[in-house]
Amino acid sequence: MKTNTIKLGLKENWKQFTILVIVNAFVGGMIGMERTIIPKFAEIEFGIASKTAILSFIIAFGITKAITNYFTGKLANRFGRKNLLLFGWILAIPIPFILIYAESWNWVIFANILLGISQGLTWSSTVVMKIDLVGEKDRGLAMGLNEFAGYFAVGLVAFLSGYIAQKYGITPYPFYLGIGISIIGFLLTLFFVKDTRVFVQKENTTNKTEKLDNIFLETTFKNKTLSTITQAGLVNNLNDGMIWGLLPIVLLSLNYDSQNIGIITAIYPTVWGFGQLVTGKMSDVYSKKKMLFWGMLLQGIAILFIPFAAAFYQLAAISAFLGLGTALVYPTFLSAIAQATTPHQRAESIGTFRLWRDLGYAIGAIISGITADLFGVNYAIVLIGVITIVSSLIIEIRMPKDSL
């Protein structure tokens, strides 16, 4: 495809965009497969009771996904987005089989290392490809649709895996979902997805954003806009790592069964997913700084209420508010990073952001796991809630008012 024959925009590229939305739903489904059942799987199958040990699978997932995010962004222009996406799916296919036949907890850790690499390649590629297609006008909406598809699928598959575990047992039946998801995702990518590098060349001819001297350092520390977004992304996934690992443990301690645990844990990513259909478009219209501040603040407040709730509807409401707060920030993170960087530097800057953001999974699991083992689960939850509120204040104080 020649540069002078292509057009940027959601409407102009809706067919390819829709395919990528569907593919990202399958990407999200791979996480949802584990979301509800792994803590119980650890206790029943391997007799693991330590919170830190149980959360080790999230640590393995977070570190490998984070590192892969960075290299996916760095290598996207060289090897092509589609090739990286395909390789991610190839790595996903063995994961459910490893979980089904795992003879020790180390195999579960290995499966989550593969899952982290796969998610870094697949999710990062679909994010960058959608931003390539739509251009500047509809970035927030594009990210809202992308993250909606991914996290709605996380919620849906989390509910289904919890339901299947309740009805048929913790293994192997819930993992059959992953077999179907990974194979279909690979085939959709192979036959229907087209690479989008040429769209970057097109946008670069009209883009006037200043180049970054050092993409990694500017995104991480030096640029006030980019680095403030990055710290908030890290804290967002830090609290998500805690919710992923500790919320099912809290619900088990309150004597909820697998099906009700599945419902409560699924509400959060489902509201998060659906909410982004609205908040993504909002970030094209309203102040991105304000959306990031209020979203992080709402998350922090919701988390602080968890130790004081026991009734199903209380916990469901907290899960919903947490999902709403996350919906406000998630597409806004990505559209804000894209707006603050040039087209050729965008993939690497997004990769750097996603490196730190997904390290939050590992950091959150380590902090909350150790705190839970030493002082109790409720103390761990309160600590993470306070950290999230502090992150919102950093956005308010440090991010320039007129930057986004």
Side-chain angles (χ1 to χ4, degrees):
M1 190 183 292
K2 295 181 180 179
T3 305
N4 59 1
T5 64
I6 65 172
K7 294 180 180 179
L8 300 173
L10 186 54
K11 187 187 295 182
E12 291 81 357
N13 299 289
W14 70 270
K15 290 181 180 177
Q16 188 62 205
F17 188 91
T18 301
I19 291 166
L20 287 167
V21 167
I22 294 168
V23 168
N24 205 53
F26 283 91
V27 174
M30 287 300 296
I31 303 178
M33 174 186 67
E34 289 192 342
R35 191 92 187 185
T36 302
I37 62 174
I38 286 290
K40 193 170 182 180
F41 180 61
E43 290 192 27
I44 291 175
E45 295 295 313
F46 305 105
I48 295 173
S50 163
K51 310 300 184 294
T52 308
I54 290 174
L55 269 59
S56 60
F57 83 96
I58 300 176
I59 297 167
F61 169 81
I63 291 173
T64 51
K65 182 171 186 261
I67 295 169
T68 308
N69 281 336
Y70 176 69
F71 284 102
T72 301
K74 199 169 180 64
L75 300 174
N77 291 332
R78 185 184 304 176
F79 293 108
R81 283 88 159 122
K82 178 176 178 176
N83 289 334
L84 295 177
L85 182 56
L86 275 172
F87 185 52
W89 279 122
I90 289 169
L91 293 178
I93 291 171
I95 293 167
F97 293 100
I98 294 171
L99 292 171
I100 289 169
Y101 295 107
E103 294 182 354
S104 71
W105 186 245
N106 287 335
W107 282 102
V108 178
I109 300 295
F110 175 65
N112 277 274
I113 289 171
L114 277 184
L115 182 64
I117 297 170
S118 172
Q119 288 285 308
L121 289 165
T122 51
W123 206 306
S124 291
S125 296
T126 61
V127 164
V128 172
M129 291 172 88
K130 289 188 184 72
I131 290 176
D132 292 344
L133 290 172
V134 301
E136 188 175 345
K137 180 183 173 186
D138 295 313
R139 259 182 213 137
L141 177 59
M143 289 302 92
L145 291 168
N146 183 77
E147 302 300 286
F148 154 73
Y151 286 98
F152 173 68
V154 172
L156 177 61
V157 177
F159 168 74
L160 289 174
S161 63
Y163 173 79
I164 293 168
Q166 177 69 19
K167 192 162 181 125
Y168 301 105
I170 205 77
T171 186
Y173 296 101
F175 300 122
Y176 290 167
L177 286 169
I179 296 172
I181 289 167
S182 57
I183 292 172
I184 295 169
F186 173 78
L187 293 174
L188 280 172
T189 301
L190 181 64
F191 293 112
F192 296 105
V193 172
K194 298 175 184 175
D195 200 82
T196 58
R197 276 179 293 183
V198 68
F199 288 82
V200 176
Q201 298 168 22
K202 173 72 173 180
E203 188 182 353
N204 205 49
T205 60
T206 58
N207 187 274
K208 296 179 182 178
T209 306
E210 288 187 18
K211 281 191 173 184
L212 303 173
D213 293 330
N214 184 302
I215 300 171
F216 181 84
L217 290 179
E218 295 276 359
T219 306
T220 304
F221 303 113
K222 295 172 72 174
N223 185 292
K224 285 188 176 181
T225 297
L226 292 171
S227 60
T228 301
I229 296 166
T230 298
Q231 70 80 25
L234 185 151
V235 173
N236 182 96
N237 278 22
L238 179 146
N239 70 49
D240 188 38
M242 181 275 292
I243 293 295
W244 186 352
L246 292 188
L247 184 58
I249 292 171
V250 169
L251 297 174
L252 281 169
S253 72
L254 295 170
N255 297 316
Y256 284 94
D257 61 24
S258 294
Q259 186 172 343
N260 282 322
I261 291 173
I263 292 169
I264 292 170
T265 55
I267 288 171
Y268 159 49
T270 304
V271 172
W272 173 358
F274 272 107
Q276 289 174 114
L277 292 174
V278 177
T279 60
K281 184 59 182 175
M282 283 172 62
S283 73
D284 288 325
V285 179
Y286 299 107
S287 165
K288 292 178 175 65
K289 176 180 175 177
K290 288 182 179 177
M291 290 183 67
L292 293 174
F293 167 73
W294 286 108
M296 295 302 292
L297 184 63
L298 183 57
Q299 287 177 44
I301 292 170
I303 290 167
L304 289 180
F305 275 101
I306 292 173
F308 306 100
F312 178 89
Y313 292 107
Q314 291 174 332
L315 290 159
I318 289 169
S319 190
F321 278 110
L322 187 57
L324 179 60
T326 312
L328 281 167
V329 300
Y330 232 69
T332 312
F333 286 145
L334 295 165
S335 62
I337 293 281
Q339 184 176 323
T341 51
T342 66
H344 275 299
Q345 293 183 320
R346 181 187 302 141
E348 188 172 347
S349 187
I350 288 174
T352 302
F353 162 76
R354 287 169 64 83
L355 162 72
W356 290 112
R357 192 194 69 185
D358 286 339
L359 275 176
Y361 277 124
I363 296 168
I366 292 168
I367 292 173
S368 56
I370 292 172
T371 306
D373 278 334
L374 291 177
F375 304 106
V377 171
N378 286 345
Y379 284 94
I381 293 169
V382 169
L383 175 62
I384 299 299
V386 170
I387 290 171
T388 305
I389 291 172
V390 169
S391 176
S392 74
L393 297 176
I394 292 172
I395 294 168
E396 181 64 24
I397 294 166
R398 188 168 186 265
M399 185 183 286
K401 289 183 179 180
D402 56 353
S403 63
L404 295 169

